């Protein structure tokens, strides 16, 4: 069974009397352990596609199955539980709490999950070491470089041991050298831990790190290509 099954999914937004087709009949399967990049110009539907996969939005029609569960039929609390247990999110802007240490930032998903303090600390420390930030646990975001802040964000996405990481332009605020380091980290996590990674990018050089490229245009999946 594929980890993710998207079947004939469409998404229509209503703006007054106008209907906007953000997605039109998209079908795709993504297996466990895949590393896929999502590409396309602004307005192509890639962000809507990622929002649906991330359980932040529901399709207007079609079905989204996540580990065999029909996500479209779930309520708000059930969707929140899936986001916290099965999905790790990494964003272009890092989204760290500025007055909170790296360790405390990484602990946040565990707090929402009701994990006790001692276990939270141990798991967050392990996640920070996994991304190369052992010894930086007490540093605040303003004491870390952009690349280090993104590593904290990746550790936060890993700490619940979710099977999927969704990364939205994760190198968009980073220089070329740091971008390569972050992509090498994603590649290692995918290879060593078998985590499924789905990454939005505008940059072909970044997409080249993935094993598969999904290209969107005008709300449709126009190409599904394997990377050499």
């Amino acid at each position: 069974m594929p980890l993710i099954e998207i079947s004939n999914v469409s998404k229509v937004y209503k703006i007054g009397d106008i209907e906007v087709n953000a997605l039109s009949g998209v079908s795709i399967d993504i297996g466990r352990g895949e590393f896929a990049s999502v590409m396309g110009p602004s307005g192509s539907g890639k962000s809507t596609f990622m929002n649906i996969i991330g359980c932040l939005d529901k399709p207007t029609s079609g079905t989204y199955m996540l580990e065999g569960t029909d996500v479209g039929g779930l309520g708000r609390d059930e969707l929140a539980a899936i986001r916290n247990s099965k999905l790790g999110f990494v964003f272009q802007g890092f989204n760290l709490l500025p007055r909170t240490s790296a360790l405390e930032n990484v602990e946040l998903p565990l707090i929402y999950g009701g994990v006790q303090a001692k276990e939270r600390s141990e798991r967050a420390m392990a996640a920070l070491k996994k991304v190369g930030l052992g010894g930086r646990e007490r540093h605040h975001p303003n004491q870390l470089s952009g690349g280090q802040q993104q590593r904290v964000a990746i550790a936060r996405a890993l700490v619940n041991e979710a099977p999927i990481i969704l990364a939205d332009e994760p190198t968009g605020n980073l220089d070329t050298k740091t971008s390569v380091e972050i992509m090498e980290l994603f590649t290692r996590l995918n290879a060593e831990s078998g985590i499924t990674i789905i990454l939005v990018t505008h940059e072909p050089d970044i997409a080249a790190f993935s094993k598969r490229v999904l290209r969107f245009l005008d709300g449709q999946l126009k190409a599904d290509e394997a990377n050499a």
Side-chain angles (χ1 to χ4, degrees):
M1 179 186 299
L3 181 62
I4 291 170
E5 296 177 87
I6 301 285
S7 301
N8 201 30
V9 160
S10 296
K11 181 65 182 181
V12 179
Y13 294 104
K14 289 190 176 181
I15 305 174
D17 295 330
I18 300 173
E19 291 189 347
V20 177
N21 293 298
L23 287 179
S24 300
V26 172
S27 296
I28 189 169
D29 291 346
I30 297 176
R32 293 182 186 275
E34 289 207 59
F35 185 174
S37 292
V38 180
M39 301 190 74
S42 297
S44 63
K46 63 183 186 300
S47 294
T48 302
F49 173 74
M50 290 290 278
N51 285 342
I52 289 173
I53 288 181
C55 297
L56 300 169
D57 204 350
K58 290 185 177 182
T60 304
S61 61
T63 58
Y64 168 28
M65 306 290 288
L66 176 59
E67 290 192 319
T69 298
D70 185 353
V71 175
L74 301 181
R76 182 180 299 177
D77 291 344
E78 293 169 308
L79 290 172
I82 283 181
R83 286 194 297 270
N84 198 50
S85 63
K86 298 186 182 298
L87 301 162
F89 295 88
V90 180
F91 302 97
Q92 179 176 340
F94 316 140
N95 287 16
L96 303 179
L97 298 179
R99 298 184 181 180
T100 304
S101 70
L103 183 68
E104 291 166 328
N105 268 287
V106 175
E107 285 181 329
L108 282 175
L110 301 177
I111 293 173
Y112 300 143
V115 178
Q116 295 299 308
K118 185 175 184 293
E119 184 181 350
R120 285 202 311 264
S121 179
E122 290 172 351
R123 287 170 62 176
M125 293 272 280
L128 284 166
K129 288 179 181 177
K130 189 176 288 188
V131 300
L133 287 181
R136 300 273 184 167
E137 296 89 353
R138 303 299 173 187
H139 287 64
H140 285 65
N142 64 0
Q143 298 172 303
L144 300 170
S145 68
Q148 289 170 334
Q149 290 183 59
Q150 193 61 293
R151 287 174 184 268
V152 173
I154 294 170
R156 183 180 57 195
L158 293 171
V159 75
N160 257 344
E161 299 179 349
I164 302 167
I165 288 182
L166 301 179
D168 189 0
E169 298 282 0
T171 62
N173 286 342
L174 304 175
D175 60 45
T176 301
K177 179 178 180 296
T178 307
S179 296
V180 170
E181 292 171 355
I182 291 298
M183 292 309 300
E184 288 175 344
L185 173 59
F186 277 128
T187 301
R188 177 169 61 81
L189 292 171
N190 173 251
E192 294 179 359
S193 303
I195 296 170
T196 301
I197 299 174
I198 306 171
L199 179 148
V200 169
T201 182
H202 285 94
E203 303 293 334
D205 289 350
I206 297 300
F209 282 88
S210 64
K211 301 173 183 175
R212 183 178 179 186
V213 180
L214 310 176
R215 299 185 187 275
F216 281 78
L217 183 66
D218 297 332
Q220 297 181 322
L221 179 64
K222 290 295 187 179
D224 182 353
E225 306 162 341
N227 263 343

